[in-house]
Amino acid sequence: MSRDDFSEYVAARWPSLVRSAVLLGCTHAEAQDLVQTALERCLMKWGKVQAADDRDAYVHRVLINIFLSGRRRRWTSEKPTATLPEQAGSDHTTSIDDADAVMRALDRLPSDQRTAVVLRYYAHLSEQQMASVLDVAAGTVKSRLSRAVKTLAQDPDLAELRGSR
């Protein structure tokens, strides 16, 4: 087992893994904690990760399993934040509004569809990789994505981003 190989993997994938966790529904701080926990588990079994057909799919599977396990145990109605809304700067209101609209739309998706959207359109995993990560058939992945995309296409919060009202 090479710690250098693990360190290189973490350095290259950290931002992408954190963003995936944010898109799954974590705050930025929660996402960093989640990714750190996932990578700690992967480090303990780094030989197995290296032997996997697809390291990224393996690590994403660990990340999602930890995320789902944590959501089952915790009450998540209140989300802590580093900055209070009245302290946030107004220079980037359009991008913040757009991000908020996307996050609200993702929040309304069932967790299996939201996970599929994050893995496909943010993590850029193939349908086969997603099937492996989620431990489902490729057809199930396709149907989850299809339903999610249909729901997002009809979401009123995303109408302005699509250029329609």
Side-chain angles (χ1 to χ4, degrees), residues 62-133:
V62 171
L63 179 82
I64 289 168
N65 286 343
I66 294 170
F67 171 76
L68 293 174
S69 177
R71 293 298 174 181
R72 280 191 292 267
R73 287 188 298 238
R74 291 184 19 221
W75 177 58
T76 59
S77 293
E78 188 175 319
K79 295 185 179 184
T81 181
T83 48
L84 297 173
E86 58 271 6
Q87 293 175 338
S90 59
D91 298 339
H92 307 287
T93 56
T94 302
S95 62
I96 291 170
D97 289 345
D98 292 351
D100 182 56
V102 170
M103 291 305 291
R104 280 191 316 234
L106 288 173
D107 281 342
R108 284 191 284 276
L109 290 175
S111 66
D112 60 336
Q113 291 178 22
R114 181 179 181 149
T115 301
V117 168
V118 170
L119 291 176
R120 181 69 179 118
Y121 298 109
Y122 179 74
H124 304 292
L125 297 184
S126 69
E127 288 174 355
Q128 195 58 43
Q129 288 173 311
M130 290 172 58
S132 173
V133 168

Side-chain angles (χ1 to χ4, degrees), residues 1-6 42 45-55 58:
M1 175 175 91
S2 168
R3 297 240 183 223
D4 290 338
D5 188 35
F6 177 77
C42 289
K45 304 215 183 234
W46 188 242
K48 191 173 181 178
V49 175
Q50 287 179 306
D53 291 335
D54 187 333
R55 285 185 195 176
Y58 189 102

Side-chain angles (χ1 to χ4, degrees), residues 9 21 33 36 51 53 59 61 69 77 88 93 107 115-117 124 143-144 147 156-157:
Y9 181 85
D33 289 345
Q36 182 174 344
D53 291 335
V59 173
R61 182 174 191 162
S69 177
S77 293
T93 56
D107 281 342
T115 301
V117 168
H124 304 292
S143 66
R144 286 180 185 175
R147 286 192 304 268
D157 286 334

Side-chain angles (χ1 to χ4, degrees), residues 6-26:
F6 177 77
S7 296
E8 289 173 15
Y9 181 85
V10 170
R13 300 300 193 289
W14 179 267
S16 174
L17 290 168
V18 170
R19 186 68 180 146
S20 290
V22 167
L23 291 171
L24 286 171
C26 296

